[in-house]
């Protein structure tokens, strides 16, 4: 559900134009801090899990029986009472319900006097969440945006030299394909090929690279394929979580495996087993499997910079 941040700030904070030197309350430097203070007690008494991110509020709970459905509805009623007491309001047009699970009974809910609309997919912080946890829609959205950006670069960059074209591609196109990719990483072949096709077209636009094989273009331009870049991102994240200042969190997400008789790279992680294919694609599962396949000289490095250089050399030889 989406809270209208402008209404919250204007009605909940006494800040007129004279006090703020003519700057609206939604734009001055203390706005985010005051907003967080304002909504700090929003989740008091709520039984289900509630997440607050600026003016975005999400609540979720497991509903398998009618009593759990009623508990979720009571929490929605608590939120409505809170906004009424603080003279605020929810944007009911943006408040929706996303039902997850194959055996979900599709319960109906209301927020105040307004029934909540059920949706099959919703964008959350830039990532499209599907009711079936299928990332196909998320792959289509950045690919279409990347093609439009690439077309603009091609039309207005007449030199086509790699010194000009590559920085534009790396700063304007590739980030659209890699935003939050550790979460929605594609695993179907059609999605992987669709994303990689953007870089294939981009490298063909550079002067002197037309008609050459894709691998040859990547080698000449000193680029990794997008698939290898996703692997590198996963492995670098594991290194930061297990070897640097976030080891407490890393030990929880990636527990070390017990020493055994099999070949070990010196820092092997526990690989969980799941029956459902969707769980095998989770970051903590797929990344641990790839990490355990790294050679010892890559894993046992003292600094992140050395790890990245050795990892690049290792990935260059991986098909």
């Amino acid at each position: 559900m989406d809270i209208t941040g402008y209404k919250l700030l204007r009605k909940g904070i006494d800040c007129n134009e004279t006090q703020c030197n003519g700057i609206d309350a939604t734009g001055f430097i203390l706005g985010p801090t005051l907003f967080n203070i304002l909504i700090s007690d929003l989740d008091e008494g709520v039984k289900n899990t509630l997440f607050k991110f600026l003016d975005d509020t999400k609540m979720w709970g497991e509903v398998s029986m009618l009593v759990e459905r009623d508990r979720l509805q009571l929490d929605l009623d608590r939120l409505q009472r809170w906004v009424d007491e603080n003279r605020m309001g929810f944007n009911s047009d943006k408040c929706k319900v996303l039902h997850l699970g194959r055996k979900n009974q599709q319960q109906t809910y209301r927020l105040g006097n307004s029934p909540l609309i059920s949706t099959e997919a919703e964008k959350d912080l830039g990532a499209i969440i599907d009711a079936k946890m299928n990332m196909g829609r998320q792959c289509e959205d950045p690919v279409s945006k990347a093609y439009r950006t690439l077309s603009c670069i091609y039309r207005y960059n007449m030199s086509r030299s790699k010194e000009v074209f590559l920085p534009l591609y790396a700063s304007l196109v590739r980030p659209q394909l890699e935003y939050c990719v550790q979460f929605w990483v594609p695993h179907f072949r059609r999605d992987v090929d669709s994303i990689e096709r953007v870089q294939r077209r981009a490298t063909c636009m550079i002067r002197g690279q037309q008609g050459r094989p894709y691998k040859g273009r990547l080698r000449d331009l000193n680029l990794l394929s997008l698939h290898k870049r996703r692997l590198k991102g996963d492995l670098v994240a594991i290194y930061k979580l297990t070897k640097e200042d976030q080891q407490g969190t890393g030990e929880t997400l990636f527990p070390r495996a017990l020493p055994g008789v099999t070949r070990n790279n010196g820092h092997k992680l526990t690989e969980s087993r799941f029956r459902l294919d969707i769980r095998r694609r989770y970051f903590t599962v797929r990344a641990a499997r790839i990490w355990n396949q790294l050679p010892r000289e890559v894993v046992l490095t003292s600094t992140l910079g050395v790890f990245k250089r050795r990892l690049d050399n290792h990935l260059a030889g991986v098909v």
Side-chain angles (χ1 to χ4, degrees), residues 6 8 25 35 64-65 72-73 85 102 154 168 184 196-197 199 203 207 211 215 245 253 266 277 281 310 319:
Y6 182 76
L8 288 174
F35 183 83
S64 57
M65 296 183 295
L72 190 58
Q73 182 59 59
E85 292 171 358
R102 291 182 295 179
Y154 183 78
L168 291 174
W184 61 268
E196 196 70 41
R197 204 173 293 123
Q199 183 162 277
T203 54
R207 188 176 63 244
K215 291 183 180 179
D245 55 355
L253 296 175
D277 185 66
R281 306 297 179 178
R310 295 183 180 180
V319 179

Side-chain angles (χ1 to χ4, degrees), residues 205-232:
M205 293 178 177
I206 299 175
R207 188 176 63 244
Q209 298 296 329
Q210 295 85 355
R212 304 194 61 223
Y214 181 52
K215 291 183 180 179
R217 298 198 299 268
L218 293 179
R219 185 167 53 252
D220 290 349
L221 299 173
N222 196 24
L223 293 175
L224 288 175
S225 67
L226 295 180
H227 171 65
K228 290 183 179 181
R229 283 183 59 86
R230 291 192 292 270
L231 293 180
K232 180 180 178 180

Side-chain angles (χ1 to χ4, degrees), residues 109-235:
Y109 302 93
R110 70 180 188 280
L111 187 61
N113 296 324
S114 304
L116 294 180
I117 302 173
S118 179
T119 180
E120 291 295 322
E122 188 70 18
K123 180 172 286 189
D124 184 18
L125 301 180
I128 300 176
I129 311 299
D130 189 272
K132 298 180 180 179
M133 298 302 289
N134 185 345
M135 294 302 157
R137 297 189 187 185
Q138 173 59 32
C139 293
E140 295 172 1
D141 188 60
V143 166
S144 61
K145 292 180 180 179
Y147 275 131
R148 290 195 295 269
T149 307
L150 193 60
S151 298
C152 293
I153 296 175
Y154 183 78
R155 285 197 302 269
Y156 296 106
N157 177 26
M158 303 304 296
S159 66
R160 308 283 197 276
S161 64
K162 69 177 182 180
E163 290 78 13
V164 177
F165 199 93
L166 278 182
L168 291 174
Y169 166 74
S171 60
L172 299 178
V173 179
R174 195 166 62 190
Q176 299 182 26
L177 303 173
E178 296 180 339
Y179 170 74
C180 201
V181 72
Q182 270 70 38
F183 167 72
W184 61 268
V185 59
H187 54 272
F188 290 121
R189 174 55 59 184
R190 64 176 182 273
D191 295 331
V192 174
D193 292 342
S194 176
I195 294 176
E196 196 70 41
R197 204 173 293 123
V198 178
Q199 183 162 277
R200 287 177 179 269
R201 179 176 295 186
T203 54
C204 283
M205 293 178 177
I206 299 175
R207 188 176 63 244
Q209 298 296 329
Q210 295 85 355
R212 304 194 61 223
Y214 181 52
K215 291 183 180 179
R217 298 198 299 268
L218 293 179
R219 185 167 53 252
D220 290 349
L221 299 173
N222 196 24
L223 293 175
L224 288 175
S225 67
L226 295 180
H227 171 65
K228 290 183 179 181
R229 283 183 59 86
R230 291 192 292 270
L231 293 180
K232 180 180 178 180
D234 288 349
L235 297 173

Side-chain angles (χ1 to χ4, degrees), residues 5 48 66 71 75 80-81 87 93 139 148 156 170-171 174 200 221-222 225 249 267 279-280 285 296 300:
N48 291 281
L66 186 59
R71 183 174 60 189
D75 286 343
Q80 186 61 45
R81 286 197 300 270
R87 294 182 298 165
D93 294 336
C139 293
R148 290 195 295 269
Y156 296 106
S171 60
R174 195 166 62 190
R200 287 177 179 269
L221 299 173
N222 196 24
S225 67
T249 304
H267 194 105
R279 293 296 299 272
R280 300 191 187 100
V285 179
R296 178 182 292 266
L300 300 181

